[in-house]
Every structure is written in C-alpha cells, then in structure tokens.
Amino acid sequence: MKKVVFLLLCLYGNHLASNIRHHKQNLPELNVLLMIADDLRIGDVSCYGNRNVRTPNIDLLASEGMKFNRMYSFPSDSGAMAAILEGQQPRKFGLVKSSNRTWSDFWSPAQEGGLLPGSRNLGRVFSVNQMSSFYNGKWALGSQPDTIPTSAGFSSFFAPFKNRTESALYDSIAELDWSVGKVLKSLEENELKNNTLVIFVSDNAPSFIHPVTKQPLSSRYHESNMFTTKGIVKKLRGEKGSNMEGGLRVPAIMRLPGTIPPNTETSVVTSLMDIYPTILDYYKFEKTAHDRTIDGKSLYPVFMDPSLAPSSSLHDQLYHYCDLGPVGAVTVGNLKILFRNGTETDCTGPLLDNPLIYNISSDPEELHPLPLSEHMPLLYHLKASLRKYEMKANLNQVKRSQYDKFPNPFDFPCWNILDCTKTYDEYETFNALFDE
C-alpha cells in the first residue's frame, strides 16, 4: 500500500479562493486559510530538507513565513483534527487510538462519534460571529447528519471521494504541492495575500507498515525520517501511532505578511492545539469561559520572537496521550520523558517501572536515555503537575464506534454502506454481534 496524502482546505471568514471574486464587496477584513495534509511527515517536503522531491509552492510559503520544527501532533487522525478545531487535548473527548488492534493506526474510537455536541469549535466560533466558514475534504470526525461539519458550525461542506493514488510516495507529495500552489495563486490574484493568515500543517506522520500484511514498506520511505534545521540534519524514529518524535512531529508553516517575519524558523515546543487560540487572537475574539480552559497556547509570542527561549516558553509541559490509559510521554523543553513502553509503531504499552528520559535536541532518535538519578526532582515535579492536570481535565470521556471491533458474523447496522437500512433498537443486541 503506497503512501497517500490528502489535502484539506478550510477558509474561514470567506469562501474558497476560486469563488472570492464574486463576493469581494462583502469581504471581512481578515481571513484564515487552513490547509491540512494527511499523513505528511516533517521530512517529506523539500523546505525541511527532502532531496528526492521538490515542493516549490510549499517552499515559497516557508520563505514568506515561519517554519515550525517542533510542531507536535497526536497518534490518531480523529484526535489531531479535534485538537485543531477545539484547542484541547483530544483525550478529554475520548479521542484516542482505536481498541481495534487491526486498524489502530487508522481508526480512533471517535470516528463516528464526532465532536462533543454544542462544543465551541472553530466552526461555531465563526458562526457566532456571523462569519462564513467553508470546509472541504477529509473530516475524520463522523459522517452522520449530526456529526458532519455543517452540524459543527461550518457554513458549508464539500467532501469529494478520496483520491487514493497508488503512485510511489513522491508523486503524491508533488500533487499536494501543486494543489497548495493553486490556492496560494488564487489569494494573490484576488488581492487577499496581505490580509489572510495561511496555516499549512499535517495531521500526523505516516505509517511505514502495510495495514494488512503488517510487513514494513520499502526502506526508501524511511528517508523522510530525516529533516534539516539550520543546516543540521536530524533523524527521528517512530511513525504514525507512536509517541516517538518521528510519529508526533509534523511539518507546519504559517504566513501573515506584516506580522510573521519571512524566511524564519522556530524550535519552540508547539502543538496542533495552538491553532485554535492563535486564530482567536488573530481576530481578537473575546475569550469565553470555555476558551480559558483550553490546552493550546496562542502562537503570537513565537511570531514576535521565533528564537523564543527556552524552547518550553509556550508549553512548559506537553502531554502525549495514547489511549484511555495513563499518559504515554511528556515533552519538557528539550527533554522527552517516556512513561510507557511503546514501540516505533504503537504508543500503547505497559507503564515503565523507570521512565526513560531523552535529550531530543542532541538525541532526536531517542536512543540514549539520560541517567534517571540526575533528573529525580524533575520527575517528582512532573508527576505532581500531571496529577493536578488530570484531576481538573475530566479525562473519563469514552467514545465508541463500529470500527472498534470486527463483527462476527459480518452483520451490523453499517450506517455508511450504500443501501444498508438495518437497525437495532437495543445497544445490547448490536453489541452481541461482535461476541458470537
């Protein structure tokens, strides 16, 4: 199975660039264009050092804006999307890796669960402020009438069939770059470049294991484990579904002329959760009680000072949850503390008797644990802070879907399959199908 990259386009405050010319007289002063690539690793594009494929349009965006070297994602697609839209830990909503071991990299328990009803996500923020918001592409947060984007506050939604290209890895990335170029060109042609915040990110890293055979893909796919920052080549370990740096770090580029300095990069610890509060600050929206409890941090301090020190200035502790169990890892500046014995492909695993501590600045591959005895004060402080956070965060939400288990026999309500109208009145009856 070849690497697949999808492109998501969200233009808040307006319609797609191709339709903008028809609405110029009614344009709001500011716009946001959010582009989300699916399963794109930090080393997959040429502005991060890839020498096997050229991405001139994404590179141009980086030269005109800021490149993030430590943007952290989540182990599942649904979790990453919720983090972007809500600004909160997906773990709060039960959005974690699937309990279905066969499809754990692809399905989370929330694929059909959607966001929390009435939640103040980005779509509803714009709806409340009487601004148009258009969502196009993969959603990963439910396909039922009450879970699709238009039920989450977005003005309109278009979801074409996924184009699952079977071309080597690099054709997919080249096509992605072409799409980005077309959208950026439309902004230029319609004189919207200077008043549009452009955000380009990936939801998480790809998997290099075939989903059916469980055999590793060709070694050439692993070349994207490497990326270049300030002339130094760094190699990461891990892939989609893991809590290692290679599974969590994703490419991120942001452009806003006059605010974000051009051709800059930052190594400050950031998260996909930061996109939500950044957009709120961009529009100077008044913070609500909900917004004051979010986990993301506005990126405006980084815009003002890309070399912001220390690297933990924004997030003094960034928690990496995997499933409904305890936290798997925590990032504290240049240190990474692993509490669970996960693998390069899977963030689940038993708790370690002795956590592993890595300096990911000098050891990004996480190969050489630091002496535990030298970091005991940090561990005590970290565990106390983590307990306090979990007591306040209400991490008991659980979401389930038909993807959690494979039914036996293959007979279930199949809400998303053509012409399937079979339903069950009792949850127990439906659940019994999986246990026969």
Side-chain angles (χ1 to χ4, degrees):
M1 181 176 181
K2 301 299 188 287
K3 167 87 176 284
V4 180
V5 179
F6 301 117
L7 180 65
L8 276 160
L9 303 176
C10 305
L11 187 58
Y12 302 110
N14 220 314
H15 294 281
L16 271 177
S18 60
N19 296 326
I20 287 173
R21 63 177 58 90
H22 303 297
H23 303 275
K24 270 192 161 183
Q25 66 275 19
N26 298 317
L27 288 182
E29 185 178 352
L30 302 175
N31 305 285
V32 175
L33 170 64
L34 172 58
M35 298 182 283
I36 309 172
D38 183 70
D39 293 5
L40 188 71
R41 189 186 292 268
I42 191 170
D44 276 339
V45 292
S46 53
C47 63
Y48 279 97
N50 194 307
R51 294 293 176 263
N52 295 306
V53 62
R54 296 205 43 88
T55 52
N57 297 298
I58 298 175
D59 295 356
L60 174 63
L61 186 66
S63 70
E64 296 179 337
M66 182 179 294
K67 186 174 66 171
F68 291 76
N69 295 323
R70 297 188 66 188
M71 177 65 74
Y72 286 93
S73 180
F74 299 87
S76 75
D77 295 355
S78 299
M81 290 300 300
I84 292 172
L85 295 173
E86 295 274 1
Q88 299 192 60
Q89 271 281 358
R91 176 69 168 78
K92 290 182 178 180
F93 311 118
L95 296 168
V96 290
K97 281 190 65 176
S98 176
S99 61
N100 182 334
R101 305 307 306 150
T102 306
W103 297 100
S104 60
D105 286 348
F106 300 94
W107 303 114
S108 81
Q111 281 284 22
E112 294 303 304
L115 300 172
L116 292 180
S119 64
R120 184 177 157 86
N121 61 68
L122 282 177
R124 289 200 174 94
V125 166
F126 282 91
S127 177
V128 166
N129 287 276
Q130 299 180 335
M131 299 172 67
S132 298
S133 54
F134 176 77
Y135 196 100
N136 174 55
K138 179 183 175 184
W139 176 239
L141 288 168
S143 57
Q144 299 308 296
D146 60 342
T147 60
I148 60 176
T150 48
S151 295
F154 288 90
S155 305
S156 55
F157 170 49
F158 178 64
F161 287 109
K162 298 174 183 177
N163 178 22
R164 289 190 173 274
T165 175
E166 290 299 320
S167 54
L169 166 66
Y170 300 129
D171 283 348
S172 299
I173 295 173
E175 292 170 11
L176 170 72
D177 183 75
W178 176 88
S179 299
V180 170
K182 295 290 284 186
V183 176
L184 295 180
K185 184 178 179 181
S186 292
L187 290 180
E188 293 252 18
E189 292 175 344
N190 291 280
E191 301 176 2
L192 291 171
K193 177 178 178 178
N194 292 329
N195 65 334
T196 300
L197 169 61
V198 177
I199 301 174
F200 175 86
V201 295
S202 173
D203 63 347
N204 43 40
S207 173
F208 292 146
I209 301 295
H210 194 288
V212 176
T213 67
K214 297 302 179 184
Q215 296 300 309
L217 299 180
S218 169
S219 60
R220 64 192 178 92
Y221 288 91
H222 293 257
E223 294 175 1
S224 61
N225 274 359
M226 296 182 289
F227 76 101
T228 303
T229 170
K230 298 180 179 178
I232 301 173
V233 178
K234 294 192 175 184
K235 185 176 181 180
L236 309 178
R237 279 201 307 150
E239 56 193 73
K240 184 175 184 176
S242 81
N243 268 331
M244 290 185 170
E245 293 293 292
L248 293 176
R249 284 205 216 183
V250 293
I253 300 168
M254 301 188 189
R255 183 187 75 185
L256 181 59
T259 298
I260 298 177
N263 201 29
T264 54
E265 61 181 279
T266 180
S267 294
V268 175
V269 173
T270 57
S271 167
L272 293 182
M273 299 183 294
D274 301 335
I275 291 174
Y276 178 97
T278 300
I279 292 176
L280 261 59
D281 274 3
Y282 174 61
Y283 282 103
K284 296 182 173 58
F285 285 146
E286 182 178 354
K287 300 288 196 306
T288 67
H290 167 89
D291 299 323
R292 287 191 287 272
T293 63
I294 63 177
D295 301 294
K297 309 292 183 182
S298 173
L299 294 171
Y300 266 77
V302 184
F303 295 164
M304 300 298 105
D305 181 10
S307 60
L308 193 65
S311 59
S312 60
S313 296
L314 214 60
H315 294 274
D316 55 349
Q317 297 172 13
L318 191 61
Y319 304 128
H320 307 293
Y321 286 93
C322 175
D323 55 19
L324 297 176
V327 71
V330 182
T331 293
V332 183
N334 289 328
L335 297 180
K336 174 86 165 289
I337 300 92
L338 291 178
F339 288 100
R340 301 181 68 168
N341 190 24
T343 67
E344 292 195 25
T345 61
D346 187 3
C347 57
T348 61
L351 284 172
L352 294 165
D353 293 332
N354 296 308
L356 299 174
I357 304 177
Y358 299 96
N359 185 325
I360 56 166
S361 177
S362 58
D363 180 26
E365 288 190 80
E366 300 166 89
L367 293 173
H368 308 290
L370 301 174
L372 198 62
S373 59
E374 297 179 8
H375 296 86
M376 294 308 293
L378 170 64
L379 287 177
Y380 290 138
H381 172 71
L382 187 58
K383 289 183 178 181
S385 299
L386 181 60
R387 178 170 296 184
K388 181 178 179 181
Y389 171 77
E390 291 184 337
M391 288 176 63
K392 295 172 60 178
N394 183 23
L395 304 182
N396 298 317
Q397 295 279 350
V398 179
K399 285 182 179 286
R400 301 292 182 191
S401 83
Q402 71 265 37
Y403 298 114
D404 282 355
K405 303 176 184 177
F406 275 122
N408 183 24
F410 195 79
D411 180 21
F412 62 105
C414 52
W415 301 326
N416 299 326
I417 295 180
L418 295 176
D419 300 323
C420 177
T421 58
K422 193 169 191 176
T423 59
Y424 293 91
D425 295 327
E426 297 295 331
Y427 175 78
E428 289 77 15
T429 305
F430 169 62
N431 196 53
L433 293 172
F434 296 90
D435 301 322
E436 293 179 357

